[in-house]
DNA sequence: GTCTATATAGCGATAGAC
DNA sequence: GTCTATCGCTATATAGAC
């Protein structure tokens, strides 16, 4: 039948990647190329013209997800904010933002966790994590403060993975206080730790 | 050939469950029954005598993991401690336990995260989470303090999923301070939040 | 660039011997 | 209680038409 009207090859590629995310999120490991292709509005043969193999498709999907996460953090950097903890604040905002859509958040994290089981993918993700962590450690905050804040943000963002609800107001409060601690690290450091 | 000398049916069952964990951790959820059986030292047919189907095996594996996690927390309850935050402290200890001697418990978390991509498993885990969360909310701490402490613990425990190392001394410091906050919630609550 | 049709392989599950 | 053999299904990937 040839090319679908109004859809460029790049559009098709993107449609397939989107469909891959949706279908794998929804059906888990059992998602087949046929399934993904149908959701993208192409045949399996059509899909395999754009991606040489399923591994190739997965690899591209992970690359896309990591890039989207990175871009999300960068978009949340406050341009008027040049103080220490600038990146850490953007990190907290990025991880706590999806609170509104718990299902999508849970599924995105589960998707990355699932994909991480492919050794090659695990290396990609770990490399990305190392890079981001290095930047967080160089963000100008005392290490113990940065560790607390990012750990708490990581915890909230991973909670939906276990089916926990994070809609309560206590999580909003937590977000505000984590941000505030990055602005005034002494609030944490001056606590009389025994 | 009959029963392998010195191995009871219960031993075989446990060996299969252990092997299932190992193989799925290494190869992902698509690991085949053949693979699992070989690692357990039985044939596929032998495995399927003990577990009616692959779904049944997965279900039992998850049940075992959840139970082990529960037991781990309970073992970390301080018998001499009857103050508010008692369970929260055990929870923090369980999640931040040193990597060296608690590798299995920690890997279980990563494995559970993987298995959560199976919808039926997600429901099992969510039910368990709800129960534990209810107990944490009833642990006698101010909600905001409990939320901070458990979020931070969750964050540290999920870090290995992304390939991050949590061996640095800052994580030990974090553990000590999280515990201390549960003992003196006013340390957190009396901070002059704007 | 996308389709249909098909080759090929691997998986879960069953049956029956021992 | 465990094995081997095999069935039936589904999935990936290829080939070739349009």
């Amino acid at each position: 039948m040839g090319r679908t009207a109004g859809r460029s090859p790049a559009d098709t590629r993107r449609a397939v990647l989107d469909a891959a995310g949706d279908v794998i999120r929804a059906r888990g490991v059992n998602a087949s190329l046929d399934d993904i292709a149908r959701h993208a509005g192409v045949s399996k043969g059509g899909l395999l013209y754009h991606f040489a193999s399923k591994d190739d498709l997965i690899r591209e999907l992970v690359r896309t997800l990591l890039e989207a996460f990175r871009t999300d953090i960068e978009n949340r950097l406050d341009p008027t904010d040049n103080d220490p903890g600038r990146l850490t604040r953007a990190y907290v905002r990025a991880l706590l933002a999806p609170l509104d859509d718990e299902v999508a958040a849970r599924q995105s994290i589960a998707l990355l966790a699932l994909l991480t089981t492919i050794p090659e993918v695990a290396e990609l993700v770990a490399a990305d994590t190392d890079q981001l962590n290095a930047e967080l450690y160089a963000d100008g905050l005392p290490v113990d403060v940065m560790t607390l804040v990012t750990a708490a943000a990581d915890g909230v963002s991973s909670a939906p993975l276990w089916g926990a609800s994070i809609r309560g107001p206590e999580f909003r409060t937590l977000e505000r206080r984590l941000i505030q601690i990055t602005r005034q690290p002494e609030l944490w450091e001056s606590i009389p730790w025994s």
Side-chain angles (χ1 to χ4, degrees), chain A:
Chain A
M1 210 207 294
R3 183 184 303 175
T4 300
R7 191 151 99 172
S8 71
D11 287 340
T12 303
R13 250 186 94 93
R14 196 168 301 112
V16 169
L17 284 174
D18 286 348
D22 290 344
V23 172
I24 293 175
R25 269 189 285 264
R27 302 184 87 81
V29 227
N30 298 323
S32 68
L33 287 184
D34 216 1
D35 229 341
I36 294 167
R38 230 177 301 115
H39 272 75
V42 291
S43 68
K44 189 164 56 175
L47 185 156
L48 285 165
Y49 169 79
H50 292 281
F51 300 91
S53 68
K54 189 176 188 177
D55 278 0
D56 185 40
L57 172 62
I58 299 287
R59 205 179 306 118
E60 286 301 295
L61 177 58
V62 170
R63 218 184 48 75
T64 302
L65 289 172
L66 291 176
E67 203 176 292
F69 179 51
R70 224 355 141 94
T71 303
D72 189 33
I73 294 175
E74 267 152 34
N75 286 342
R76 291 173 194 279
L77 284 170
D78 182 347
T80 71
D81 175 6
N82 281 299
D83 302 324
R86 181 170 185 264
L87 178 64
T88 306
R89 283 185 284 282
Y91 185 79
V92 170
R93 286 186 209 109
L95 284 186
L96 300 205
L99 280 175
D100 311 317
D101 191 354
E102 284 185 3
V103 177
R106 186 202 77 80
Q107 288 173 343
S108 291
I109 292 167
L111 174 58
L112 258 181
L114 160 64
L115 297 173
T116 303
T117 59
I118 303 165
E120 191 194 339
V121 170
E123 282 175 36
L124 269 175
V125 174
D128 212 73
T129 300
D130 285 349
Q131 167 66 19
L132 185 55
N133 274 344
E135 292 178 33
L136 285 169
Y137 273 88
D139 196 31
L141 292 179
V143 172
D144 286 340
V145 170
M146 189 278 286
T147 301
L148 167 77
V149 172
T150 56
D154 287 346
V156 174
S157 77
S158 71
L161 186 57
W162 317 113
S165 172
I166 50 175
R167 286 208 184 107
E170 62 268 37
F171 294 101
R172 291 295 173 198
T173 302
L174 180 59
E175 178 177 6
R176 266 186 280 114
R177 293 185 173 182
L178 290 178
I179 296 281
Q180 189 175 348
I181 282 186
T182 67
R183 289 228 154 84
Q184 302 169 265
E186 68 276 8
L187 289 178
W188 178 258
E189 291 207 299
S190 67
I191 288 177
W193 304 110
S194 61

